[in-house]
Amino acid sequence: TTKEIPDHQKKRIEEIGLFLRNWRLNEGLTQREFSELAEIHRNSMHNIEHFRLYSVLTLLKCVDATGLTLEQFFQGMGRSTSVRLRFA
């Protein structure tokens, strides 16, 4: 049987998706362009940005594509609430 994902973990999935989307938009990249940079399928990027589950490997490829270290990535997530989205 499939276990229900705890709310606090769902929130983390959302935070990661929002941070990556925000980073991508601030860089002026489409989902397709970022997917190519990260060497992942475009559908994977769509899934991340829409808070669907993804593998750790996919996440690491996305982090690598940003050029940030894991530490910088997660520190940036902590500050991402203060970054304005272009479409907001």
Side-chain angles (χ1 to χ4, degrees):
T1 63
T2 304
K3 289 185 176 183
E4 180 66 27
I5 299 171
D7 287 340
H8 72 281
Q9 289 178 345
K10 287 180 185 177
K11 181 158 178 52
R12 289 180 182 159
I13 291 168
E14 290 177 13
E15 290 171 352
I16 291 168
L18 287 171
F19 181 80
L20 283 170
R21 182 178 190 202
N22 190 28
W23 187 92
R24 176 181 63 75
L25 291 172
N26 285 332
E27 293 296 313
L29 297 173
T30 66
Q31 281 186 345
R32 181 180 307 269
E33 291 167 333
F34 186 85
S35 298
E36 290 172 1
L37 185 65
E39 298 180 355
I40 61 173
H41 194 278
R42 192 196 67 77
N43 290 347
S44 295
M45 191 65 215
H46 175 84
N47 288 341
I48 289 170
E49 291 186 2
H50 289 87
F51 319 131
R52 296 187 184 109
L53 293 179
Y54 45 85
S55 73
V56 172
L57 180 59
T58 297
L59 172 60
L60 292 176
K61 287 180 175 185
C62 289
V63 172
D64 288 346
T66 67
L68 301 172
T69 65
L70 273 177
E71 182 179 6
Q72 291 168 327
F73 180 83
F74 287 110
Q75 285 176 348
M77 279 184 44
R79 294 188 298 266
S80 67
T81 54
S82 64
V83 177
R84 294 180 182 227
L85 298 176
R86 287 184 177 187
F87 54 85

Coordinates of all heavy atoms in Angstrom, one line a residue:
T1 N 0.8 -1.2 0.0 CA 0.0 0.0 0.0 C 0.9 1.3 0.0 O 2.0 1.2 0.5 CB -0.9 0.0 1.2 OG1 -0.1 0.1 2.4 CG2 -1.9 -1.2 1.3
T2 N 0.3 2.3 -0.5 CA 1.1 3.6 -0.6 C 0.8 4.4 0.7 O -0.3 4.5 1.1 CB 0.6 4.4 -1.8 OG1 0.8 3.6 -3.0 CG2 1.4 5.7 -1.9
K3 N 1.9 4.9 1.3 CA 1.7 5.7 2.5 C 1.4 7.1 2.1 O 1.9 7.6 1.1 CB 3.0 5.6 3.3 CG 3.3 4.3 4.0 CD 4.6 4.4 4.8 CE 4.8 3.2 5.6 NZ 6.0 3.3 6.5
E4 N 0.6 7.7 3.0 CA 0.3 9.1 2.8 C 1.6 10.0 3.2 O 2.3 9.7 4.1 CB -0.9 9.5 3.7 CG -1.3 11.0 3.6 CD -1.9 11.3 2.3 OE1 -2.4 10.5 1.6 OE2 -1.8 12.5 1.9
I5 N 1.8 11.0 2.4 CA 3.0 11.8 2.6 C 2.6 12.8 3.7 O 1.6 13.5 3.6 CB 3.4 12.6 1.4 CG1 3.8 11.6 0.3 CG2 4.6 13.6 1.6 CD1 4.0 12.2 -1.1
P6 N 3.4 12.9 4.8 CA 3.1 13.9 5.9 C 3.1 15.3 5.3 O 3.8 15.7 4.4 CB 4.2 13.7 6.9 CG 4.8 12.3 6.6 CD 4.6 12.1 5.1
D7 N 2.2 16.1 6.0 CA 2.1 17.5 5.5 C 3.4 18.3 5.5 O 3.7 19.1 4.6 CB 1.1 18.2 6.4 CG -0.3 17.8 6.1 OD1 -0.6 17.3 5.0 OD2 -1.2 18.0 7.0
H8 N 4.3 18.1 6.5 CA 5.5 18.8 6.6 C 6.4 18.4 5.4 O 7.2 19.3 4.9 CB 6.2 18.6 7.9 CG 6.9 17.3 8.1 ND1 6.1 16.2 8.5 CD2 8.1 16.9 8.0 CE1 6.9 15.1 8.6 NE2 8.2 15.5 8.3
Q9 N 6.3 17.2 4.9 CA 7.1 16.8 3.8 C 6.5 17.3 2.5 O 7.2 17.7 1.6 CB 7.3 15.3 3.7 CG 8.2 14.8 4.8 CD 8.3 13.3 4.8 OE1 7.5 12.5 4.2 NE2 9.3 12.8 5.6
K10 N 5.2 17.4 2.4 CA 4.5 18.0 1.3 C 5.0 19.5 1.1 O 5.2 20.0 0.0 CB 3.0 17.9 1.4 CG 2.4 16.6 1.2 CD 0.9 16.6 1.3 CE 0.3 15.2 1.2 NZ -1.1 15.2 1.5
K11 N 5.1 20.2 2.3 CA 5.5 21.6 2.3 C 6.9 21.7 1.7 O 7.2 22.6 0.9 CB 5.4 22.2 3.7 CG 5.8 23.6 3.7 CD 5.2 24.3 4.9 CE 5.6 25.7 5.0 NZ 5.4 26.6 3.8
R12 N 7.8 20.8 2.1 CA 9.2 20.8 1.6 C 9.2 20.6 0.0 O 10.0 21.2 -0.7 CB 10.0 19.8 2.3 CG 10.3 20.1 3.7 CD 11.1 19.1 4.3 NE 11.4 19.4 5.7 CZ 11.7 18.5 6.7 NH1 11.9 17.3 6.3 NH2 11.9 18.9 7.9
I13 N 8.4 19.7 -0.4 CA 8.3 19.4 -1.9 C 7.8 20.7 -2.6 O 8.4 21.1 -3.6 CB 7.3 18.2 -2.2 CG1 8.0 16.9 -1.7 CG2 7.0 18.2 -3.7 CD1 7.0 15.8 -1.7
E14 N 6.8 21.4 -2.0 CA 6.3 22.7 -2.6 C 7.4 23.7 -2.6 O 7.6 24.4 -3.6 CB 5.1 23.1 -1.8 CG 3.9 22.3 -2.0 CD 2.7 22.8 -1.2 OE1 2.8 23.9 -0.6 OE2 1.7 22.0 -1.1
E15 N 8.2 23.8 -1.5 CA 9.2 24.8 -1.4 C 10.3 24.6 -2.4 O 10.8 25.6 -3.0 CB 9.9 24.8 0.0 CG 9.0 25.3 1.1 CD 9.5 25.1 2.5 OE1 10.5 24.4 2.7 OE2 8.9 25.6 3.5
I16 N 10.7 23.4 -2.6 CA 11.7 23.1 -3.6 C 11.2 23.4 -5.0 O 11.9 24.0 -5.8 CB 12.1 21.6 -3.6 CG1 12.9 21.3 -2.3 CG2 13.0 21.2 -4.8 CD1 13.1 19.9 -2.0
G17 N 10.0 23.0 -5.3 CA 9.4 23.3 -6.6 C 9.3 24.8 -6.9 O 9.6 25.3 -8.0
L18 N 8.8 25.6 -5.9 CA 8.7 27.0 -6.0 C 10.1 27.7 -6.2 O 10.3 28.6 -7.0 CB 8.0 27.6 -4.8 CG 6.5 27.4 -4.8 CD1 6.0 27.9 -3.4 CD2 5.8 28.1 -5.9
F19 N 11.1 27.2 -5.4 CA 12.4 27.8 -5.5 C 13.0 27.5 -6.9 O 13.6 28.4 -7.6 CB 13.4 27.2 -4.5 CG 14.7 27.7 -4.5 CD1 15.0 29.0 -4.0 CD2 15.8 27.0 -5.2 CE1 16.3 29.5 -4.1 CE2 17.0 27.6 -5.2 CZ 17.3 28.8 -4.7
L20 N 12.9 26.3 -7.4 CA 13.4 26.0 -8.8 C 12.7 26.8 -9.9 O 13.3 27.3 -10.8 CB 13.4 24.5 -9.0 CG 14.5 23.7 -8.4 CD1 14.2 22.2 -8.5 CD2 15.8 24.0 -8.9
R21 N 11.4 26.9 -9.7 CA 10.6 27.7 -10.7 C 11.1 29.1 -10.7 O 11.3 29.7 -11.7 CB 9.1 27.5 -10.4 CG 8.3 28.3 -11.4 CD 6.9 28.1 -11.1 NE 6.1 28.6 -12.2 CZ 4.8 29.0 -12.1 NH1 4.2 28.9 -11.0 NH2 4.2 29.5 -13.2
N22 N 11.2 29.7 -9.5 CA 11.6 31.1 -9.3 C 13.0 31.3 -9.9 O 13.3 32.2 -10.7 CB 11.6 31.4 -7.9 CG 11.8 32.9 -7.7 OD1 11.4 33.7 -8.5 ND2 12.3 33.3 -6.5
W23 N 13.9 30.4 -9.6 CA 15.3 30.5 -10.2 C 15.3 30.4 -11.7 O 15.9 31.2 -12.3 CB 16.2 29.3 -9.6 CG 17.6 29.5 -10.0 CD1 18.6 30.1 -9.3 CD2 18.2 29.0 -11.2 NE1 19.8 30.1 -9.9 CE2 19.6 29.4 -11.1 CE3 17.8 28.3 -12.3 CZ2 20.5 29.1 -12.2 CZ3 18.7 28.0 -13.3 CH2 20.0 28.4 -13.2
R24 N 14.5 29.5 -12.2 CA 14.4 29.3 -13.7 C 13.9 30.6 -14.3 O 14.4 31.1 -15.3 CB 13.5 28.1 -14.0 CG 13.3 27.9 -15.5 CD 12.4 26.7 -15.8 NE 11.0 26.9 -15.2 CZ 10.1 27.6 -15.8 NH1 10.3 28.4 -16.9 NH2 8.9 27.7 -15.3
L25 N 12.8 31.1 -13.8 CA 12.2 32.3 -14.3 C 13.1 33.5 -14.2 O 13.2 34.3 -15.2 CB 10.9 32.6 -13.7 CG 9.7 31.6 -14.0 CD1 8.5 31.9 -13.1 CD2 9.4 31.7 -15.5
N26 N 13.8 33.7 -13.1 CA 14.8 34.8 -12.9 C 15.9 34.7 -13.9 O 16.5 35.7 -14.3 CB 15.3 34.8 -11.5 CG 14.2 35.4 -10.6 OD1 13.4 36.2 -10.9 ND2 14.3 35.0 -9.3
E27 N 16.3 33.5 -14.3 CA 17.3 33.3 -15.3 C 16.8 33.4 -16.8 O 17.5 33.3 -17.7 CB 18.0 31.9 -15.2 CG 18.8 31.8 -13.9 CD 20.0 32.7 -13.8 OE1 20.7 32.8 -14.8 OE2 20.1 33.3 -12.8
G28 N 15.4 33.6 -16.9 CA 14.8 33.7 -18.2 C 14.8 32.4 -19.0 O 14.8 32.5 -20.2
L29 N 14.7 31.3 -18.3 CA 14.7 30.0 -19.0 C 13.3 29.4 -19.0 O 12.5 29.6 -18.1 CB 15.6 29.0 -18.2 CG 17.1 29.4 -18.2 CD1 17.8 28.4 -17.2 CD2 17.7 29.3 -19.5
T30 N 13.0 28.7 -20.1 CA 11.7 28.0 -20.2 C 12.0 26.7 -19.5 O 13.1 26.3 -19.2 CB 11.4 27.7 -21.7 OG1 12.4 26.8 -22.2 CG2 11.2 29.0 -22.5
Q31 N 10.9 25.9 -19.3 CA 11.0 24.6 -18.7 C 11.9 23.7 -19.6 O 12.7 23.0 -19.1 CB 9.6 24.0 -18.5 CG 8.9 24.4 -17.3 CD 7.6 23.7 -17.0 OE1 7.1 23.0 -17.9 NE2 7.0 23.8 -15.8
R32 N 11.7 23.8 -20.9 CA 12.4 23.0 -21.8 C 13.9 23.3 -21.7 O 14.8 22.4 -21.7 CB 11.9 23.2 -23.2 CG 12.7 22.4 -24.3 CD 12.1 22.6 -25.7 NE 10.7 22.4 -25.7 CZ 10.1 21.3 -26.0 NH1 10.8 20.2 -26.3 NH2 8.8 21.2 -26.1
E33 N 14.3 24.6 -21.7 CA 15.7 25.0 -21.6 C 16.3 24.5 -20.3 O 17.4 24.0 -20.3 CB 15.8 26.5 -21.7 CG 15.4 27.1 -23.1 CD 15.3 28.6 -23.2 OE1 14.9 29.2 -22.1 OE2 15.5 29.1 -24.3
F34 N 15.6 24.7 -19.2 CA 16.1 24.3 -17.9 C 16.3 22.7 -17.9 O 17.3 22.2 -17.4 CB 15.3 24.7 -16.7 CG 15.9 24.4 -15.4 CD1 16.9 25.2 -14.9 CD2 15.6 23.2 -14.8 CE1 17.5 24.9 -13.6 CE2 16.2 22.9 -13.6 CZ 17.1 23.7 -13.0
S35 N 15.3 22.0 -18.5 CA 15.3 20.6 -18.5 C 16.6 20.1 -19.3 O 17.2 19.1 -18.9 CB 14.1 20.0 -19.2 OG 13.0 20.4 -18.4
E36 N 16.9 20.8 -20.4 CA 18.0 20.4 -21.2 C 19.3 20.7 -20.4 O 20.2 19.9 -20.4 CB 18.0 21.2 -22.5 CG 17.0 20.7 -23.5 CD 16.8 21.6 -24.7 OE1 17.6 22.5 -24.9 OE2 15.9 21.3 -25.5
L37 N 19.3 21.8 -19.7 CA 20.5 22.2 -18.9 C 20.7 21.1 -17.7 O 21.8 20.7 -17.5 CB 20.3 23.5 -18.3 CG 21.4 24.2 -17.5 CD1 22.6 24.4 -18.3 CD2 20.9 25.5 -16.8
A38 N 19.6 20.7 -17.1 CA 19.7 19.7 -16.0 C 19.8 18.3 -16.5 O 19.9 17.3 -15.7 CB 18.5 19.9 -15.1
E39 N 19.6 18.1 -17.8 CA 19.6 16.7 -18.4 C 18.5 15.8 -17.8 O 18.7 14.7 -17.5 CB 21.0 16.1 -18.3 CG 22.1 16.9 -19.0 CD 23.4 16.2 -18.9 OE1 23.6 15.2 -18.2 OE2 24.4 16.8 -19.5
I40 N 17.3 16.4 -17.7 CA 16.1 15.7 -17.3 C 15.0 15.9 -18.3 O 15.1 16.8 -19.2 CB 15.6 16.2 -15.9 CG1 15.2 17.7 -15.9 CG2 16.7 15.9 -14.8 CD1 14.6 18.1 -14.7
H41 N 14.0 15.1 -18.3 CA 12.9 15.2 -19.2 C 12.1 16.4 -18.8 O 11.9 16.7 -17.6 CB 12.0 13.9 -19.2 CG 11.1 13.8 -20.3 ND1 9.9 14.5 -20.3 CD2 11.1 13.2 -21.5 CE1 9.2 14.2 -21.4 NE2 10.0 13.4 -22.1
R42 N 11.5 17.1 -19.8 CA 10.7 18.3 -19.5 C 9.6 18.0 -18.6 O 9.2 18.8 -17.7 CB 10.2 19.0 -20.8 CG 9.6 20.4 -20.6 CD 8.8 20.9 -21.7 NE 7.6 20.2 -21.8 CZ 6.5 20.3 -21.1 NH1 6.5 21.1 -20.0 NH2 5.4 19.6 -21.3
N43 N 9.0 16.8 -18.8 CA 7.9 16.4 -17.9 C 8.3 16.4 -16.4 O 7.6 16.7 -15.5 CB 7.3 15.1 -18.3 CG 6.5 15.2 -19.6 OD1 6.2 16.3 -20.1 ND2 6.2 14.0 -20.2
S44 N 9.6 16.0 -16.2 CA 10.1 16.0 -14.8 C 10.1 17.4 -14.2 O 9.8 17.6 -13.1 CB 11.5 15.4 -14.8 OG 11.5 14.0 -15.2
M45 N 10.6 18.4 -15.0 CA 10.6 19.7 -14.6 C 9.2 20.2 -14.3 O 8.9 20.9 -13.2 CB 11.2 20.6 -15.6 CG 11.6 22.0 -15.1 SD 12.8 21.9 -13.8 CE 12.2 23.3 -12.8
H46 N 8.2 19.9 -15.1 CA 6.8 20.2 -14.9 C 6.3 19.6 -13.6 O 5.7 20.3 -12.8 CB 6.0 19.7 -16.1 CG 4.5 20.0 -15.9 ND1 3.9 21.2 -16.2 CD2 3.6 19.1 -15.4 CE1 2.6 21.1 -15.9 NE2 2.4 19.9 -15.4
N47 N 6.7 18.4 -13.4 CA 6.3 17.7 -12.1 C 6.8 18.3 -10.9 O 6.1 18.5 -9.9 CB 6.6 16.2 -12.2 CG 5.8 15.4 -13.1 OD1 4.7 15.8 -13.5 ND2 6.3 14.3 -13.5
I48 N 8.1 18.7 -10.9 CA 8.7 19.4 -9.8 C 8.0 20.7 -9.5 O 7.7 21.0 -8.4 CB 10.2 19.7 -10.1 CG1 11.0 18.3 -10.0 CG2 10.8 20.6 -9.1 CD1 12.4 18.4 -10.5
E49 N 7.7 21.5 -10.6 CA 7.1 22.8 -10.4 C 5.6 22.7 -10.0 O 5.0 23.7 -9.6 CB 7.3 23.6 -11.6 CG 8.7 24.1 -11.9 CD 8.9 25.0 -13.0 OE1 7.9 25.4 -13.7 OE2 10.0 25.4 -13.3
H50 N 5.0 21.5 -10.2 CA 3.6 21.3 -9.8 C 3.5 20.4 -8.6 O 2.5 19.8 -8.3 CB 2.8 20.8 -11.0 CG 2.6 21.9 -12.0 ND1 3.5 22.2 -13.0 CD2 1.7 22.8 -12.1 CE1 3.1 23.2 -13.7 NE2 2.0 23.6 -13.2
F51 N 4.6 20.3 -7.8 CA 4.7 19.6 -6.5 C 4.4 18.1 -6.5 O 3.8 17.6 -5.6 CB 3.8 20.3 -5.5 CG 3.8 21.8 -5.6 CD1 2.7 22.6 -5.7 CD2 5.0 22.5 -5.7 CE1 2.7 24.0 -5.8 CE2 5.1 23.9 -5.8 CZ 3.9 24.6 -5.8
R52 N 4.7 17.5 -7.6 CA 4.6 16.1 -7.7 C 5.9 15.4 -7.3 O 7.0 16.0 -7.3 CB 4.2 15.7 -9.1 CG 2.8 16.2 -9.5 CD 2.3 15.7 -10.8 NE 1.1 16.4 -11.1 CZ 0.9 17.2 -12.1 NH1 2.0 17.6 -12.8 NH2 -0.2 17.8 -12.3
L53 N 5.9 14.2 -6.9 CA 7.1 13.5 -6.4 C 8.1 13.3 -7.5 O 7.7 13.2 -8.7 CB 6.7 12.1 -5.8 CG 5.9 12.2 -4.6 CD1 5.6 10.7 -4.1 CD2 6.6 12.9 -3.5
Y54 N 9.3 13.3 -7.2 CA 10.4 13.1 -8.1 C 11.5 12.4 -7.4 O 11.6 12.4 -6.2 CB 10.9 14.4 -8.7 CG 11.0 15.5 -7.7 CD1 12.2 15.6 -6.9 CD2 10.0 16.4 -7.4 CE1 12.3 16.6 -5.9 CE2 10.1 17.3 -6.4 CZ 11.2 17.4 -5.7 OH 11.3 18.4 -4.7
S55 N 12.5 11.9 -8.1 CA 13.6 11.2 -7.5 C 14.7 12.2 -7.0 O 14.7 13.3 -7.4 CB 14.2 10.2 -8.5 OG 15.0 11.0 -9.5
V56 N 15.4 11.6 -6.1 CA 16.6 12.4 -5.5 C 17.5 12.7 -6.6 O 18.1 13.9 -6.7 CB 17.2 11.7 -4.4 CG1 18.5 12.4 -3.9 CG2 16.3 11.5 -3.2
L57 N 17.8 11.8 -7.6 CA 18.7 12.0 -8.7 C 18.2 13.2 -9.5 O 19.0 14.0 -9.9 CB 18.8 10.8 -9.5 CG 19.7 10.9 -10.7 CD1 21.2 11.3 -10.3 CD2 19.7 9.6 -11.5
T58 N 16.9 13.3 -9.8 CA 16.3 14.4 -10.6 C 16.6 15.7 -9.8 O 17.0 16.7 -10.4 CB 14.8 14.2 -10.8 OG1 14.7 13.0 -11.6 CG2 14.2 15.3 -11.6
L59 N 16.4 15.7 -8.5 CA 16.6 16.9 -7.7 C 18.1 17.3 -7.8 O 18.4 18.5 -8.0 CB 16.2 16.7 -6.3 CG 16.6 17.8 -5.3 CD1 15.9 19.1 -5.7 CD2 16.2 17.5 -3.9
L60 N 19.0 16.4 -7.7 CA 20.4 16.7 -7.7 C 20.8 17.2 -9.1 O 21.6 18.1 -9.2 CB 21.2 15.5 -7.3 CG 21.1 15.0 -5.9 CD1 21.9 13.7 -5.7 CD2 21.6 16.1 -4.9
K61 N 20.2 16.7 -10.1 CA 20.5 17.2 -11.5 C 20.1 18.7 -11.6 O 20.7 19.5 -12.2 CB 19.9 16.4 -12.6 CG 20.5 15.0 -12.8 CD 19.8 14.2 -13.8 CE 20.6 12.9 -14.1 NZ 20.0 12.2 -15.2
C62 N 18.9 19.0 -11.0 CA 18.4 20.3 -11.0 C 19.3 21.3 -10.2 O 19.6 22.4 -10.7 CB 17.0 20.4 -10.5 SG 15.7 19.7 -11.6
V63 N 19.7 20.8 -9.1 CA 20.6 21.6 -8.3 C 21.9 21.9 -9.0 O 22.4 23.0 -9.1 CB 20.9 21.0 -6.9 CG1 22.0 21.7 -6.2 CG2 19.7 20.9 -6.1
D64 N 22.5 20.9 -9.7 CA 23.7 21.0 -10.5 C 23.5 22.0 -11.6 O 24.4 22.8 -11.9 CB 24.1 19.7 -11.1 CG 24.7 18.7 -10.0 OD1 25.0 19.2 -8.9 OD2 24.9 17.5 -10.4
A65 N 22.3 22.0 -12.2 CA 22.0 22.9 -13.3 C 22.0 24.4 -12.8 O 22.3 25.3 -13.6 CB 20.7 22.6 -14.0
T66 N 21.7 24.6 -11.6 CA 21.7 26.0 -11.1 C 23.1 26.5 -10.8 O 23.3 27.7 -10.7 CB 20.9 26.1 -9.7 OG1 21.6 25.4 -8.7 CG2 19.4 25.7 -9.9
G67 N 24.0 25.6 -10.7 CA 25.4 26.0 -10.5 C 25.6 26.3 -9.0 O 26.7 26.8 -8.6
L68 N 24.6 26.0 -8.2 CA 24.8 26.2 -6.7 C 25.2 24.9 -6.0 O 24.9 23.8 -6.6 CB 23.4 26.6 -6.1 CG 22.8 27.8 -6.7 CD1 21.3 28.0 -6.1 CD2 23.6 29.1 -6.3
T69 N 25.9 25.0 -4.9 CA 26.1 23.8 -4.1 C 24.8 23.5 -3.4 O 23.9 24.3 -3.3 CB 27.2 24.1 -3.0 OG1 26.7 25.1 -2.1 CG2 28.5 24.6 -3.7
L70 N 24.8 22.3 -2.8 CA 23.6 21.9 -2.1 C 23.3 22.8 -0.9 O 22.2 23.2 -0.7 CB 23.7 20.5 -1.5 CG 23.3 19.3 -2.4 CD1 23.6 18.0 -1.8 CD2 21.9 19.4 -2.8
E71 N 24.4 23.2 -0.3 CA 24.3 24.2 0.8 C 23.7 25.5 0.4 O 22.7 26.0 1.0 CB 25.6 24.4 1.5 CG 25.6 25.3 2.7 CD 26.9 25.5 3.4 OE1 27.9 25.0 2.8 OE2 26.9 26.2 4.4
Q72 N 24.2 26.0 -0.7 CA 23.7 27.3 -1.3 C 22.3 27.2 -1.7 O 21.5 28.0 -1.5 CB 24.6 27.7 -2.5 CG 26.0 28.2 -2.1 CD 26.8 28.3 -3.3 OE1 26.7 27.6 -4.3 NE2 27.8 29.3 -3.3
F73 N 22.0 26.0 -2.3 CA 20.6 25.8 -2.8 C 19.6 25.8 -1.7 O 18.6 26.5 -1.7 CB 20.5 24.4 -3.5 CG 19.2 24.1 -4.0 CD1 18.7 24.5 -5.2 CD2 18.3 23.3 -3.3 CE1 17.5 24.2 -5.7 CE2 17.0 22.9 -3.8 CZ 16.6 23.4 -5.0
F74 N 19.9 25.1 -0.6 CA 19.0 25.0 0.5 C 19.0 26.3 1.3 O 17.9 26.7 1.9 CB 19.2 23.8 1.4 CG 18.7 22.6 0.7 CD1 19.6 21.6 0.2 CD2 17.4 22.3 0.5 CE1 19.2 20.5 -0.4 CE2 16.9 21.2 -0.2 CZ 17.8 20.3 -0.6
Q75 N 20.1 27.0 1.4 CA 20.1 28.4 2.0 C 19.2 29.3 1.2 O 18.5 30.1 1.7 CB 21.5 28.9 2.1 CG 22.3 28.3 3.2 CD 23.8 28.8 3.2 OE1 24.2 29.4 2.3 NE2 24.5 28.4 4.3
G76 N 19.3 29.2 -0.1 CA 18.5 30.1 -1.0 C 17.1 29.8 -0.9 O 16.2 30.7 -1.0
M77 N 16.7 28.5 -0.6 CA 15.3 28.2 -0.4 C 14.8 28.9 0.8 O 13.6 29.4 0.8 CB 15.1 26.7 -0.2 CG 15.1 26.0 -1.5 SD 14.7 24.2 -1.3 CE 13.4 24.2 -0.1
G78 N 15.6 29.1 1.8 CA 15.2 29.8 3.0 C 14.9 31.3 2.8 O 14.1 31.9 3.5
R79 N 15.6 31.8 1.8 CA 15.3 33.2 1.4 C 14.4 33.4 0.3 O 14.0 34.5 -0.1 CB 16.7 33.8 1.0 CG 17.7 33.9 2.1 CD 18.9 34.7 1.7 NE 19.6 34.2 0.6 CZ 20.7 33.3 0.8 NH1 21.1 33.0 1.9 NH2 21.3 32.8 -0.3
S80 N 13.9 32.3 -0.3 CA 13.1 32.4 -1.6 C 11.8 33.1 -1.3 O 11.2 33.6 -2.3 CB 12.9 31.0 -2.2 OG 12.1 30.2 -1.3
T81 N 11.3 33.2 -0.1 CA 10.0 33.8 0.1 C 10.1 35.3 -0.1 O 9.1 36.0 -0.4 CB 9.5 33.6 1.6 OG1 10.5 34.0 2.5 CG2 9.1 32.1 1.8
S82 N 11.4 35.9 -0.1 CA 11.5 37.3 -0.3 C 11.8 37.7 -1.7 O 11.8 38.8 -2.1 CB 12.7 37.8 0.6 OG 13.9 37.2 0.2
V83 N 11.9 36.6 -2.6 CA 12.2 36.9 -4.0 C 10.9 37.0 -4.7 O 10.0 36.1 -4.6 CB 13.1 35.7 -4.6 CG1 13.3 36.0 -6.1 CG2 14.4 35.6 -3.9
R84 N 10.7 38.0 -5.5 CA 9.4 38.2 -6.3 C 9.5 37.4 -7.6 O 10.5 37.4 -8.2 CB 9.2 39.7 -6.6 CG 9.0 40.5 -5.3 CD 8.8 41.9 -5.7 NE 8.6 42.7 -4.5 CZ 7.6 43.6 -4.3 NH1 6.8 43.8 -5.3 NH2 7.5 44.2 -3.2
L85 N 8.4 36.8 -7.9 CA 8.3 36.1 -9.1 C 7.9 37.1 -10.2 O 7.2 38.1 -10.0 CB 7.2 35.0 -9.0 CG 7.4 33.9 -8.0 CD1 6.2 33.0 -8.0 CD2 8.7 33.2 -8.3
R86 N 8.4 36.9 -11.4 CA 8.2 37.8 -12.5 C 6.7 37.9 -12.9 O 6.3 39.0 -13.3 CB 9.0 37.3 -13.8 CG 10.4 37.5 -13.6 CD 11.1 37.2 -14.9 NE 12.5 37.4 -14.8 CZ 13.4 37.3 -15.7 NH1 13.0 37.0 -16.9 NH2 14.6 37.6 -15.6
F87 N 6.0 36.9 -12.7 CA 4.6 36.9 -13.1 C 3.7 37.4 -12.0 O 2.5 37.5 -12.2 CB 4.1 35.5 -13.6 CG 4.4 34.5 -12.6 CD1 3.4 34.2 -11.6 CD2 5.5 33.7 -12.7 CE1 3.7 33.2 -10.7 CE2 5.7 32.7 -11.8 CZ 4.8 32.4 -10.8
A88 N 4.2 37.7 -10.8 CA 3.4 38.1 -9.7 C 3.0 39.6 -9.8 O 3.7 40.3 -10.4 CB 4.1 37.8 -8.4

